[in-house]
Amino acid sequence: MKWFMDWLTPDVASTIASKVDSITYFILIVSTFFFFLVVALMLIFVIKYKRKSENEKTSSIDENVPLEIVWTAIPLILLMIMFFWGYHVYLEMAVPPKDSMEIKVTGQKWFWTFDYPTGASSPGELVVPIHKPVKVLLSSKDVIHSMYVPAFRVKMDALPNRYTVLWFEANKIGEYPMYCTEFCGTEHSSMRAKVRVVSQEDYNAWLDQASSGGSGTSPEEYGKELYKKYACSTCHSLDGSKMTGPTWKAIWGEQQQTSAGAVKVDENYIRESILNPTAKIVNGYQPVMPPYTGILKDKDIEAIIAYIKTLK
Ligand code: CUA
């Protein structure tokens, strides 16, 4: 039930959100009012003007100028209000303010990466300071995805070989869900991310930490973080169950039957499977994993290997 309430009234966490809500509610109320008015009048007229006998004649009235002016003018005024109001809010959403900070957002099967001006990058989690306009430069590495943050009331397609733009200014500290809203393959529904709105000081501190590349944690812990952040978890289970890809549980050192013959799961096989996933597909699975070349650095791959070793 909670998800339904969240869906019906998502958090209001950006400057544009309440403006989008106002016009949405205005249109909803006007439409609902006229829906009931039209249906009620129709039912009344059906009963009132039903032909009651064989020789009953239809009345000769065929026009009523004041009535026609009224039912033309009122809808015209209402529709013009919707148009200019909507256009005004749309313009505001379409043009990022000049003092915006820029964050690059990249979608790919099936996770989101966020790149910050300092070179820091945070897969799976977008961290933004409060009261600061953020211009998002969107693109995709493979198919069309779409970035949607309900709490901000913003949504934009992410296309391969092209940039699209959206912007927002968060005005409420908290954590909000972000979804992919363009069907992009088997794991589309789990292509989610988290948006975290923090104070400017917390943002600066976080950015410093993120720019140093996760130092201070052990490779195993860092690998576990990457497993979640890069959404390895959508295809590889940790409990032995079969998902889109083979489980990671107790895989280390095992013999696997693959499309290129028997392979022992060691450092080289895992590294190859991350950078060139289709080279040796484990029997019974499809070659659907995208290559992580240029996304995961050597340090990241080593951390993932260290993490897989711990999964007994
Ligand atoms: Cu990406 Cu749906």
Side-chain angles (χ1 to χ4, degrees):
M1 201 57 208
K2 192 183 172 292
W3 71 265
F4 181 73
M5 289 310 295
D6 286 350
W7 168 79
L8 198 65
T9 51
D11 284 310
V12 175
S14 78
T15 50
I16 203 80
S18 52
K19 296 175 192 176
V20 173
D21 283 2
S22 301
I23 183 164
T24 307
Y25 291 138
F26 175 74
I27 294 173
L28 184 68
I29 289 165
V30 169
S31 313
T32 310
F33 172 77
F34 280 98
F35 172 78
F36 284 108
L37 179 72
V38 168
V39 172
L41 286 176
M42 184 183 77
L43 292 175
I44 290 167
F45 291 167
V46 161
I47 294 160
K48 186 170 179 202
Y49 296 106
K50 182 174 157 40
R51 196 170 178 230
K52 293 181 184 72
S53 63
E54 272 303 308
N55 47 14
E56 188 176 319
K57 294 238 169 57
T58 307
S59 99
S60 61
I61 301 171
D62 58 13
E63 66 177 84
N64 183 325
V65 174
L67 189 62
E68 283 180 26
I69 288 173
V70 167
W71 77 38
T72 306
I74 291 177
L76 180 74
I77 291 166
L78 288 171
L79 288 173
M80 283 298 130
I81 291 173
M82 286 175 197
F83 173 73
F84 283 105
W85 189 358
Y87 183 63
H88 186 77
V89 176
Y90 171 77
L91 270 190
E92 196 178 328
M93 293 175 84
V95 187
K98 282 209 174 63
D99 60 339
S100 304
M101 67 177 254
E102 197 173 289
I103 296 178
K104 223 179 139 285
V105 176
T106 311
Q108 74 182 97
K109 296 177 187 176
W110 285 280
F111 62 95
W112 298 96
T113 343
F114 306 99
D115 292 291
Y116 299 80
T118 59
S121 137
S122 64
E125 186 185 57
L126 172 61
V127 182
V128 290
I130 192 169
H131 301 316
K132 173 89 191 155
V134 175
K135 175 182 166 186
V136 169
L137 198 60
L138 257 179
S139 68
S140 163
K141 281 215 154 82
D142 38 44
V143 298
I144 301 178
H145 303 276
S146 186
M147 174 180 178
Y148 177 40
V149 185
F152 294 167
R153 311 290 190 274
V154 291
K155 180 174 172 295
M156 181 56 74
D157 279 2
L159 304 154
N161 307 319
R162 196 187 310 180
Y163 291 110
T164 47
V165 168
L166 73 77
W167 82 272
F168 58 82
E169 181 181 331
N171 62 3
K172 196 170 139 208
I173 285 179
E175 280 182 10
Y176 309 101
M178 170 177 148
Y179 302 101
C180 175
T181 44
E182 185 69 55
F183 182 69
C184 54
T186 50
E187 298 298 334
H188 155 71
S189 62
S190 51
M191 189 171 165
R192 301 175 187 188
K194 193 165 71 182
V195 181
R196 197 147 60 85
V197 179
V198 296
S199 68
Q200 185 68 50
E201 299 82 66
D202 288 352
Y203 175 74
N204 294 343
W206 174 86
L207 197 60
D208 276 351
Q209 165 75 20
S211 310
S212 67
S215 57
T217 49
S218 69
E220 291 82 5
E221 280 170 44
Y222 186 50
K224 187 178 182 180
E225 249 174 64
L226 295 174
Y227 171 76
K228 287 190 210 124
K229 285 184 168 176
Y230 283 98
C232 310
S233 50
T234 53
C235 297
H236 300 285
S237 77
L238 298 179
D239 60 2
S241 59
K242 186 176 168 172
M243 295 166 73
T244 308
T247 183
W248 284 7
K249 185 190 161 86
I251 201 176
W252 181 255
E254 289 297 302
Q255 288 284 333
Q256 296 272 24
Q257 297 304 319
T258 74
S259 54
V263 181
K264 184 171 182 242
V265 179
D266 59 6
E267 285 90 348
N268 285 320
Y269 178 59
I270 293 175
R271 187 186 162 82
E272 181 185 54
S273 299
I274 291 170
L275 298 177
N276 184 13
T278 51
K280 292 170 188 144
I281 298 288
V282 176
N283 291 351
Y285 293 93
Q286 297 298 313
V288 291
M289 177 168 155
Y292 281 69
T293 321
I295 301 162
L296 291 174
K297 300 174 194 77
D298 280 350
K299 201 178 122 223
D300 303 331
I301 295 172
E302 280 150 24
I304 289 172
I305 294 171
Y307 177 52
I308 289 178
K309 284 181 185 172
T310 68
L311 302 167
K312 300 263 158 48

